[in-house]
Amino acid sequence: MPTACAARRVAGRRSARTVVVMRSAAEEKAGVTPGHPFPWEEDFDQLSDKVKEVTDVLQKDLKGCNIWLVGMMGTGKSTVGKMLANTLKYAFFDTDSVIELAHDKRPVSSIFAEEGQDYFRQCESQIIKELSPYRNLVIATGGGAVLKPENWGYMQLGVVCWLHGEPELLARRVAKDGLEKRPLLAADAPEGVSGEEAARTKLTDLLDQRRRFYENADVVVTLEGYGNDAADGAPTAAVMYRLLSAINDKVQAKKRQDAERLNFRIEGAEQLKNMRTVESPTAGGAQPGAAPGP
């Protein structure tokens, strides 16, 4: 398992790069879908400006607070997390990747098969515990990390963000990658059923089991795509902007709440100056413990 010292060394290697949102020639040609509810998600020049605008505000107030990404497999936690870390000049960790490194780069699917899910979750919790004291980190967690209460105890020292996608969208994504890379899906895939269909059934069951845990997150960001992105979900840069905006809204709300607590007032304070005082029982020379008068 990685030690705290190792985590410190990696956490210190922060990237100075900022994200540059790029679009392909096909996207340039496609243009913006008429009636798109968020047209900047297809206009990447405008999206880049919006990312910079919210980042400039957020970096002043986030103060190094860690960002934890939770959500189902296929939500793009690692991809979005790397982009988010570069944008905020944070270090990035993926708990799955750290586990693989600690096991001679064996893939997660192999660790699951040979060591079992309980062992894997134990490793995951240890990594979450070791990373939680540090600052300026974006951490992408495994889909089942939310199931253990102790993980929440560590993650809630930062901002917990749920990347939420519907099972239909996630099934399309993981089927393209191959179910063999997803041990929870590969183990239960029935014969004669397409990979996408098997993934959709399993992901629906998993989401039903985990939803109440995911709903404890500080912010929720959907992956829903519109216009040209309806089938594949919102582009990574658009999801990152949604995430930045949601975190900023949370941080600003906390600032307002703290300010209101400092600006409290006492109801009826103006009456204090008119209140009569009552003499102490010992006033006028009476000695403590003396018998009361008739």
Side-chain angles (χ1 to χ4, degrees):
M1 294 303 300
T3 64
C5 290
R8 185 182 297 110
R9 287 197 300 272
V10 180
R13 303 171 194 159
R14 297 189 192 123
S15 169
R17 294 174 295 167
T18 55
V19 65
V20 178
V21 178
M22 303 295 291
R23 55 180 171 179
S24 65
E27 289 169 329
E28 287 275 8
K29 185 177 181 181
V32 177
T33 304
H36 197 299
F38 310 108
W40 55 84
E41 292 189 355
E42 292 184 340
D43 182 345
F44 279 30
D45 291 334
Q46 187 179 359
L47 181 58
S48 292
D49 291 340
K50 283 184 167 289
V51 167
K52 184 180 186 306
E53 180 181 340
V54 71
T55 302
D56 289 345
V57 175
L58 183 58
Q59 282 183 316
K60 297 175 185 177
D61 298 321
L62 196 55
K63 298 178 181 178
C65 185
N66 289 343
I67 297 172
W68 299 84
L69 303 182
V70 302
M72 297 282 288
M73 64 185 82
T75 53
K77 297 185 295 291
S78 296
T79 306
V80 174
K82 290 174 185 176
M83 185 178 286
L84 180 65
N86 282 341
T87 300
L88 293 175
K89 298 180 175 63
Y90 271 30
F92 173 74
F93 284 90
D94 180 306
T95 57
D96 283 1
S97 296
V98 176
I99 292 173
E100 290 178 342
L101 286 173
H103 291 79
D104 299 323
K105 298 184 180 181
R106 287 163 55 198
V108 167
S109 56
S110 172
I111 298 170
F112 248 80
E114 296 175 22
E115 310 292 346
Q117 184 175 174
D118 289 344
Y119 173 80
F120 177 85
R121 297 297 178 204
Q122 218 172 7
C123 294
E124 184 175 59
S125 293
Q126 181 64 24
I127 292 165
I128 289 172
K129 177 182 178 180
E130 290 193 16
L131 291 176
S132 64
Y134 299 104
R135 298 171 64 81
N136 300 92
L137 304 181
V138 175
I139 305 105
T141 65
V146 296
L147 300 176
K148 300 187 74 170
E150 58 264 40
N151 292 345
W152 281 101
Y154 296 117
M155 292 191 296
Q156 287 181 331
L157 296 174
V159 182
V160 184
C161 308
W162 176 22
L163 299 187
H164 172 51
E166 294 300 328
E168 292 77 14
L169 170 62
L170 303 184
R172 286 195 293 272
R173 291 183 172 187
V174 299
K176 288 179 182 178
D177 292 339
L179 300 191
E180 66 279 358
K181 298 180 181 179
R182 310 284 184 171
L184 286 180
L185 300 184
D188 298 328
E191 294 184 7
V193 176
S194 70
E196 184 175 327
E197 184 179 350
R200 182 171 60 252
T201 300
K202 183 61 177 180
L203 288 168
T204 299
D205 291 341
L206 286 174
L207 183 57
D208 288 343
Q209 297 167 21
R210 298 173 178 176
R211 185 184 297 273
R212 63 190 179 93
F213 298 100
Y214 289 138
E215 289 174 346
N216 290 319
D218 297 303
V219 300
V220 181
V221 174
T222 67
L223 306 180
E224 184 178 4
Y226 304 91
N228 296 324
D229 303 310
D232 297 326
T236 301
V239 174
M240 184 191 68
Y241 171 67
R242 295 177 187 180
L243 185 55
L244 284 167
S245 298
I247 295 172
N248 187 50
D249 288 345
K250 184 73 175 179
V251 169
Q252 300 310 320
K254 181 66 165 57
K255 282 183 64 178
R256 290 192 296 271
Q257 185 182 56
D258 291 345
E260 289 171 1
R261 287 175 178 170
L262 291 174
N263 294 328
F264 70 91
R265 62 185 299 271
I266 301 174
E267 293 293 336
E270 66 281 356
Q271 299 176 14
L272 291 176
K273 59 184 178 181
N274 298 323
M275 293 179 66
R276 296 175 59 190
T277 58
V278 179
E279 290 187 354
S280 167
T282 61
Q287 299 298 316

